[in-house]
Amino acid sequence: MIRPPPSLGLLDRVFRVLFPGVLFFLLNGCSSISYYSQLASGQLQLLRAREPVSSVIADPARDQKLRAHLTQSQKARTFASQHLHLPDNQSYRLYADIGRPYVVWNVFVTPEFSLTPVNHCFPIAGCVAYRGYYSQSAARGEAALQRLQGMDVSIGGVEAYSTLGWFNDPIMSSMMGWGDERLATLIFHELAHQRFYVQDDTEINESFATFVEQEGTRQWRASRHLPPDDNAQARQRARFIELVLDTRIRLEKLYAMALPPEQMRQRKAAQFERLRSEYRQLRDSQWAGDKRYDAWINAPMNNARLLPFGLYDQWVPAFAALFRQEQGDWLKFYAAVAKLGKLPAGERKAALQALANPPN
């Protein structure tokens, strides 16, 4: 086993020393000891599993496919810092074999007749619309408890996440099923979170990171003299998201009505069936029967399953307009984004709307 370099071991020791105080601070918010204990334990296990990517690549005993994949990832990682001006640290220059398909499982919860998520607030990340669990069984247990209380619940596996620069995030084995370019886009996306993050504003955080991912990938391809991606899959995904968001709008109107619970349930179910019907018509008429979204659409449906949609791209057009306004200069763009982030929430949203929808 390769011994981690001193900096990694030091970080582990610091984490162990600080954890009791951090836990005490978190528990002042009346959160459960068991939940935060599993978060700390899971993160510590991940930190201990890290090893330098360079060591894996240099080890002939390691899987050749893994070594080749990691070699390509490091080219993208260097491009991220040198050309996209993203943080130049040890994040994604480390590798961790976590031995499972997902690093965490997120549990999303909403009331039966509402699309407003049950939020959970954390000192570093702010308020988010889910709780993360390093154990799938723990996530299922939490989901079962919420269902017993009459809530709509969804569980989603996550292959990677960012600690926002608090730790050096590794490339994880859960990410190794992706192609070289998909892995590069994720590195751009997650490093963007380290460059800019606003507490309690998921839409701006994810839209910013998605824009950096998309523009960064375009420039990454150009640097390797590859033709632009025709974005057929991206257009298909955008159309699918549009269907889901339209369903959300209809459900919000429905939930605003003062209807008896049983009638509300019937109309709610009808909206989900309409979504399925519209999807199948689109799939068969325009996508040549492509079934990439069939598994999702055919699974049991509820409010909580709709929560993640729209969060990652709502303000992408606004950031694209700002990037053009700054003439494609990454440093000027980041400075302008930082100014946006300092505005009060209402002013920030108004500024983004003005960027996305300039007057004619």
Side-chain angles (χ1 to χ4, degrees):
M1 178 177 179
I2 300 175
R3 180 180 294 276
S7 59
L8 301 187
L10 177 60
L11 185 55
D12 289 346
R13 291 195 295 274
V14 170
F15 187 91
R16 287 196 295 271
V17 170
L18 291 181
F19 170 63
V22 172
L23 183 59
F24 175 81
F25 173 66
L26 296 172
L27 294 179
N28 281 335
C30 300
S31 299
S32 71
I33 292 177
S34 61
Y35 177 70
Y36 281 106
S37 293
Q38 68 89 27
L39 282 185
S41 175
Q43 180 62 41
L44 183 55
Q45 289 176 4
L46 182 58
L47 294 180
R48 286 174 167 170
R50 298 170 306 164
E51 56 184 316
V53 166
S54 58
S55 297
V56 179
I57 294 173
D59 186 354
R62 305 296 284 267
D63 179 75
Q64 181 58 40
K65 185 177 179 181
L66 170 65
R67 294 166 65 199
H69 203 11
L70 289 176
T71 297
Q72 293 303 312
S73 77
Q74 296 310 281
K75 296 178 182 178
R77 179 63 185 84
T78 299
F79 183 86
S81 292
Q82 292 184 354
H83 296 272
L84 308 183
H85 297 281
L86 293 169
D88 189 5
N89 53 33
Q90 287 301 303
S91 288
Y92 309 108
R93 292 188 171 107
L94 305 170
Y95 174 72
D97 188 340
I98 61 175
R100 56 184 187 272
Y102 300 108
V103 61
V104 294
W105 286 262
N106 287 339
V107 179
F108 297 87
V109 180
T110 70
E112 183 181 9
F113 303 128
S114 174
L115 285 162
T116 301
V118 175
N119 282 331
H120 304 276
C121 298
F122 304 89
I124 297 173
C127 297
V128 294
Y130 55 83
R131 285 185 111 184
Y133 293 84
Y134 283 89
S135 162
Q136 186 178 25
S137 61
R140 287 174 173 172
E142 173 64 15
L145 290 175
Q146 294 294 334
R147 291 190 186 99
L148 287 175
Q149 298 178 41
M151 307 295 276
D152 277 15
V153 184
S154 177
I155 301 175
V158 177
E159 293 150 319
Y161 67 85
S162 172
T163 60
L164 307 179
W166 282 75
F167 302 105
N168 290 317
D169 297 318
I171 296 171
M172 288 175 271
S173 54
S174 52
M175 301 155 63
M176 286 297 100
W178 303 340
D180 291 333
E181 184 161 304
R182 178 68 187 93
L183 181 55
T185 65
L186 177 109
I187 290 172
F188 301 157
H189 185 105
E190 298 301 343
L191 285 174
H193 283 312
Q194 293 187 21
R195 179 88 204 204
F196 172 79
Y197 188 87
V198 178
Q199 281 199 350
D200 307 332
D201 197 333
T202 301
E203 289 85 357
I204 191 173
N205 294 329
E206 294 300 346
S207 295
F208 166 76
T210 297
F211 169 74
V212 173
E213 167 192 328
Q214 292 176 355
E215 178 60 22
T217 301
R218 187 192 69 77
Q219 294 187 16
W220 171 234
R221 290 183 64 88
S223 73
R224 294 177 294 151
H225 308 291
L226 295 176
D229 191 342
D230 66 5
N231 288 323
Q233 289 189 12
R235 291 194 298 272
Q236 187 172 323
R237 178 178 179 274
R239 187 67 184 92
F240 178 74
I241 290 174
E242 185 179 338
L243 288 180
V244 176
L245 295 181
D246 287 345
T247 303
R248 282 177 53 164
I249 292 171
R250 294 194 299 268
L251 285 171
E252 286 171 346
K253 292 179 179 178
L254 171 62
Y255 297 150
M257 299 178 182
L259 298 177
E262 191 53 41
Q263 187 176 357
M264 190 77 82
R265 291 187 186 101
Q266 291 174 358
R267 294 196 180 187
K268 174 183 175 181
Q271 288 299 334
F272 286 130
E273 283 306 310
R274 176 177 172 178
L275 170 61
R276 291 188 175 102
S277 176
E278 290 177 345
Y279 162 76
R280 289 164 185 152
Q281 182 178 4
L282 180 66
R283 177 198 65 192
D284 297 337
S285 63
Q286 298 184 29
W287 296 349
D290 188 328
K291 298 182 179 181
R292 73 179 65 244
Y293 296 112
D294 276 23
W296 190 92
I297 207 78
N298 291 327
M301 201 76 73
N302 62 36
N303 298 325
R305 296 195 74 218
L306 308 186
L307 288 181
F309 290 89
L311 294 179
Y312 283 72
D313 44 23
Q314 179 177 353
W315 298 119
V316 170
F319 286 115
L322 184 59
F323 189 73
R324 291 192 299 271
Q325 185 175 299
E326 299 299 336
Q327 300 181 325
D329 186 308
W330 283 105
L331 293 178
K332 291 180 179 179
F333 169 69
Y334 293 141
V337 170
K339 289 181 180 179
L340 272 177
K342 294 177 181 178
L343 295 175
E347 293 181 29
R348 185 164 63 240
K349 184 175 182 180
L352 288 166
Q353 288 176 332
L355 284 165
N357 303 290
N360 295 326

